[in-house]
Amino acid sequence: MKTAFITGSSRGIGKAIALRLASDGYRVILHGVNESNHIKNLKTEIEQNGGKADIVCADLCDLEATGVLCEKLENVDVLVLNASTQYRIPWQKITVKDCYEQLNCNFVSSMMLIQAVVSHMKDAGWGRIVTIGSVQEAKPHPDMLVYSASKAAQTNMMQSLSLQLAKDGITVNNVAPGVIYTDRNIEALSDPEYAKKVTDSIPVGFYGAPGDCAGIVSLLCSDEGRYITGQSIYVDGGKSVQ
Ligand code: NAP
């Protein structure tokens, strides 16, 4: 049984990916900042459906905590880098601390986690790494300057690693969601005026659901995905080409 580690899988898109990979037959390692009821309930749900799930927790803004997490990871065949930190602040008001927290979580921790799992993938001659990016790589939101830049940096790293790891049977890709209705944006989208503006910016005319991102991740992580590497795939109802 192969093992898939999905960061930020207690809720939202990461949860949908974890459920999908568990039903695809992977043992999944679930992750969140804390061992919340969300994550414990998800582990129970997966096990009740006959799957295998474990939990690890760490705040990925804190690089020491990421280092401790890296030490715990063994035999990871599939790594999905889904957790992120996102601050909505006008760019002239961003502090250096805000910058580092977002860069640490969205880029530096991603690199550290890849470093931690890649030797097992190389030994196995098989591995899958999927970064979760954002439509903001193509359409940056003015109040999320560092967030969108951190996602673009992560995708640049994905492209470089896809070339460096191609001969090892390891594929590296990015899935970039558009507006997916999760805890992250529920509050912002509760403002009808803002919600209309957002919906009007999506060619298909509606928000996505977390499950909309899970199918493509499942494909990329399967043997059928072996010839897809170095790609960024938008799951955004057409927003990136708008
Ligand atoms: P979400 O519902 O807010 O869930 C965030 C997940 O990440 C939770 O599991 C949370 O753990 C974990 N997390 C948050 N901060 C963390 C930190 N500092 N260290 C470790 N884990 C942390 O998020 P989502 O909307 O599903 O987004 C998932 C991914 O898709 C993110 O990379 C996001 O940037 C990307 N994305 C989302 C959208 C969207 O519209 N939703 C659009 C574009 C891209 P806890 O439960 O323990 O807090």
Side-chain angles (χ1 to χ4, degrees):
M1 185 180 236
K2 289 192 171 95
T3 295
F5 175 44
I6 308 103
T7 66
S9 41
S10 56
R11 296 182 277 135
I13 296 169
K15 175 181 175 180
I17 294 169
L19 284 166
R20 178 59 187 260
L21 294 181
S23 79
D24 288 347
Y26 295 93
R27 166 191 168 238
V28 291
I29 306 178
L30 306 172
H31 163 264
V33 180
N34 300 305
E35 198 154 331
S36 60
N37 284 337
H38 293 296
I39 204 163
K40 286 192 250 184
N41 292 342
L42 179 59
K43 174 173 158 62
T44 305
E45 183 182 342
I46 290 169
E47 288 170 346
Q48 280 172 348
N49 288 324
K52 287 193 80 165
D54 292 295
I55 296 175
V56 291
C57 293
D59 180 350
L60 301 181
C61 294
D62 173 351
L63 298 183
E64 266 183 46
T66 305
V68 172
L69 172 63
C70 287
E71 295 289 316
K72 291 183 190 161
L73 297 173
E74 279 179 2
N75 301 334
V76 171
D77 303 287
V78 168
L79 175 64
V80 182
L81 294 160
N82 167 78
S84 84
T85 299
Q86 178 178 21
Y87 299 146
R88 190 183 285 261
I89 304 170
W91 68 271
Q92 284 161 305
K93 295 194 173 159
I94 297 171
T95 64
V96 171
K97 180 173 173 286
D98 296 333
C99 287
Y100 276 119
E101 284 177 2
Q102 291 175 95
L103 291 168
N104 285 352
C105 186
N106 308 352
F107 177 72
V108 184
S109 285
S110 294
M111 190 198 63
M112 290 169 71
L113 289 165
I114 294 170
Q115 286 174 333
V117 302
V118 81
S119 46
H120 165 73
M121 293 180 183
K122 283 185 175 180
D123 290 346
W126 193 98
R128 298 286 184 263
I129 299 169
V130 181
T131 56
I132 302 298
S134 170
V135 68
Q136 290 200 40
E137 293 168 58
K139 303 276 175 187
H141 188 293
D143 291 343
M144 297 188 218
L145 184 137
V146 176
Y147 168 78
S148 49
S150 70
K151 292 290 192 178
Q154 184 180 245
T155 294
N156 187 278
M157 171 173 67
M158 173 282 288
Q159 290 172 322
S160 174
L161 292 179
S162 71
L163 298 176
Q164 298 186 54
L165 299 173
K167 293 281 195 306
D168 294 300
I170 302 168
T171 68
V172 194
N173 291 286
N174 181 55
V175 169
V179 183
I180 308 291
Y181 195 64
T182 68
D183 290 351
R184 179 170 297 235
N185 49 28
I186 271 178
E187 197 184 322
L189 294 173
S190 66
D191 171 1
E193 205 176 307
Y194 181 68
K196 179 170 180 339
K197 196 174 146 205
V198 170
T199 311
D200 287 349
S201 75
I202 306 169
V204 298
F206 59 90
Y207 314 139
D212 291 325
C213 300
I216 184 66
V217 175
S218 168
L219 171 67
L220 292 172
C221 295
S222 70
D223 286 329
E224 286 172 300
R226 69 175 192 164
Y227 212 53
I228 309 169
T229 197
Q231 301 306 306
S232 203
I233 298 154
Y234 285 86
V235 181
D236 67 350
K239 190 170 163 65
S240 54
V241 290
Q242 172 91 311

